[in-house]
Amino acid sequence: MKPHENLDPLTIGGKAYASRLLVGTGKYKDFAETKAAIEASGARIVTVAIRRTNIGQNPNEPSLLDYIPPNRFTLLPNTAGCYNAEDAVRTLRLARELLDGHELVKLEVLGDPRTLFPNMVETISAATTLVKEGFKVMVYTSDDPIIAKQLEDIGCVAVMPLASLIGSGMGILNPWNLQIIIENAKVPVLVDAGVGTASDAAIAMELGCDGVLMNTAIAAAKNPVLMASAMRKAVEAGREAFLAGRMPKKLYSAAPSSPATGLITPSGAKTG
Amino acid sequence: MTVPCPYARFSGLPATVISISVNGECREFEAPLNCAELIARLDLGGKRVAIERNGEIVPRSQFPGQALLDGDRLEIVVAVGGG
């Protein structure tokens, strides 16, 4: 039995999930690869985007949900591509209907198509509306501790600061801000965006994040399925290291790990 | 999406044809037409879709009862891959 699958679940909005790694479903070669990567990641919460259906396409064309069935995964519809509160709210109302009344959603309102930086003014406005309408909002945010706290106060069930910009793979650029956000938060804090490789995910978890959400780091790897497996291990390892409590950093140690006595040559430091 | 569909009565079409904006594209259909029939005519039967009509969600249970009118603006969405 893997220890955290039952003993250390991630609880969001009152529901426990067996994995602290959340993954996206975009940018894969095909649905088969999407499915294989998600299986390898062990993720229980999987993000999806909501888009206009292609009218006139082959009616037998497979759809994402054939591969990622809603009865096996908790689907987390997002508002990727929305640049104002109104579009984000409309998108999630459609998502709720699409997924049979499902309330857990990922809100992200972007501010700039080049950098994909979030627009926090619009995000706060959308979050306020969505919480009033009964949504359980996991919210993508800049790594500003004051904004993160405001989002929590509005009633968001998780705050998800960026590690670095969406799709950049630059890793955790400001661990100090993340630490302050984690210290202040009473809801789960998940790093969302910017993770590039397994060590980034492990560092996020060692900092005390409750989880990590990623898409490109897995989908854009040369071998996405292998990277998904690496990410699962990194998140688990980082979490265990956080729970274990790391040793303090010291410039050097006067206390070696092996006994100082009983050496075959007593008193190691000889003179002459 | 914000461009309204031209109303049939202004376009000289027979009264039984209605003009509806579907995902930002204007289309003509024979009336009467409800949401369930529209789904079938667009070959979307059996697919998991959600519909917004003139800015309001149409619950799936109401698809057969929602008669569509000339000038309606519809968004029909599905879940796709995304982060």
Side-chain angles (χ1 to χ4, degrees):
Chain A
M1 184 182 75
K2 288 173 191 152
H4 329 118
E5 297 220 319
N6 299 310
L7 301 180
D8 182 31
L10 168 63
T11 302
I12 298 174
K15 206 179 158 206
Y17 299 91
S19 172
R20 291 175 179 273
L21 172 58
L22 287 69
V23 298
T25 52
K27 300 183 182 171
Y28 287 97
K29 188 178 65 183
D30 52 32
F31 288 144
E33 187 183 71
T34 311
K35 182 186 163 116
I38 288 166
E39 298 282 2
S41 77
R44 308 310 308 149
I45 301 178
V46 173
T47 65
V48 297
I50 304 299
R51 289 291 180 273
R52 286 172 165 174
T53 184
N54 269 335
I55 291 169
Q57 73 174 16
N58 174 2
N60 299 319
E61 194 145 311
S63 78
L64 176 68
L65 299 189
D66 298 333
Y67 289 79
I68 314 294
N71 57 0
R72 280 202 53 215
F73 297 94
T74 295
L75 298 183
L76 185 66
N78 70 25
T79 59
C82 291
Y83 284 82
N84 60 62
E86 190 197 343
D87 287 351
V89 170
R90 280 177 65 202
T91 299
L92 291 178
R93 285 177 185 149
L94 278 162
R96 176 156 66 179
E97 182 56 29
L98 187 72
L99 300 173
D100 301 322
H102 171 97
E103 289 166 340
L104 191 69
V105 295
K106 172 180 161 179
L107 172 65
E108 67 176 274
V109 185
L110 301 176
D112 169 34
R114 190 168 59 88
T115 61
L116 304 180
F117 252 115
N119 179 329
M120 295 319 301
V121 174
E122 292 292 314
T123 301
I124 286 174
S125 161
T128 307
T129 306
L130 291 166
V131 168
K132 273 188 202 142
E133 294 186 12
F135 286 92
K136 291 182 175 170
V137 181
M138 300 177 70
V139 60
Y140 175 60
T141 176
S142 58
D143 62 359
D144 178 331
I146 307 303
I147 297 277
K149 193 67 192 168
Q150 283 179 344
L151 291 165
E152 179 183 332
D153 291 343
I154 286 169
C156 293
V157 296
V159 293
M160 306 200 291
L162 50 79
S164 47
L165 294 176
I166 293 173
S168 71
M170 291 284 281
I172 296 166
L173 298 187
N174 196 337
W176 315 110
N177 274 25
L178 283 181
Q179 232 162 343
I180 296 171
I181 291 171
I182 292 163
E183 256 180 47
N184 291 345
K186 292 189 181 65
V187 295
V189 176
L190 291 86
V191 152
D192 180 1
V195 165
T197 188
S199 53
D200 297 333
I203 290 169
M205 296 306 292
E206 287 173 11
L207 284 171
C209 284
D210 296 279
V212 180
L213 196 165
M214 65 179 75
N215 190 151
T216 312
I218 296 174
K222 280 187 188 140
N223 183 335
V225 178
L226 191 56
M227 186 57 90
S229 163
M231 290 300 184
R232 177 174 61 75
K233 291 169 183 162
V235 167
E236 286 179 3
R239 176 66 179 174
E240 287 185 359
F242 169 73
L243 292 176
R246 64 153 297 149
M247 62 163 283
K249 283 183 185 177
K250 288 173 275 191
L251 192 55
Y252 56 83
S253 168
S257 298
S258 306
T261 56
L263 290 150
I264 56 166
T265 313
S267 172
K270 284 193 174 172
T271 50
Chain B
M1 194 236 92
T2 47
V3 182
C5 249
Y7 278 55
R9 61 178 175 277
F10 299 140
S11 62
L13 293 167
T16 53
V17 173
I18 55 174
S19 190
I20 293 172
S21 161
V22 181
N23 292 350
E25 216 178 287
C26 226
R27 286 162 177 267
E28 282 161 2
F29 297 93
E30 278 185 32
L33 181 72
N34 63 43
C35 284
E37 290 161 344
L38 177 75
I39 293 290
R41 279 196 216 172
L42 295 174
D43 267 343
L44 297 172
K47 283 203 183 294
R48 190 186 273 259
V49 299
I51 299 183
E52 182 198 68
R53 179 187 175 206
N54 302 328
E56 302 286 332
I57 299 294
V58 183
R60 210 173 307 157
S61 60
Q62 292 177 22
F63 282 3
Q66 280 263 339
L68 295 170
L69 301 176
D70 198 35
D72 276 350
R73 285 174 294 108
L74 299 185
E75 292 291 339
I76 306 179
V77 300
V78 292
V80 302

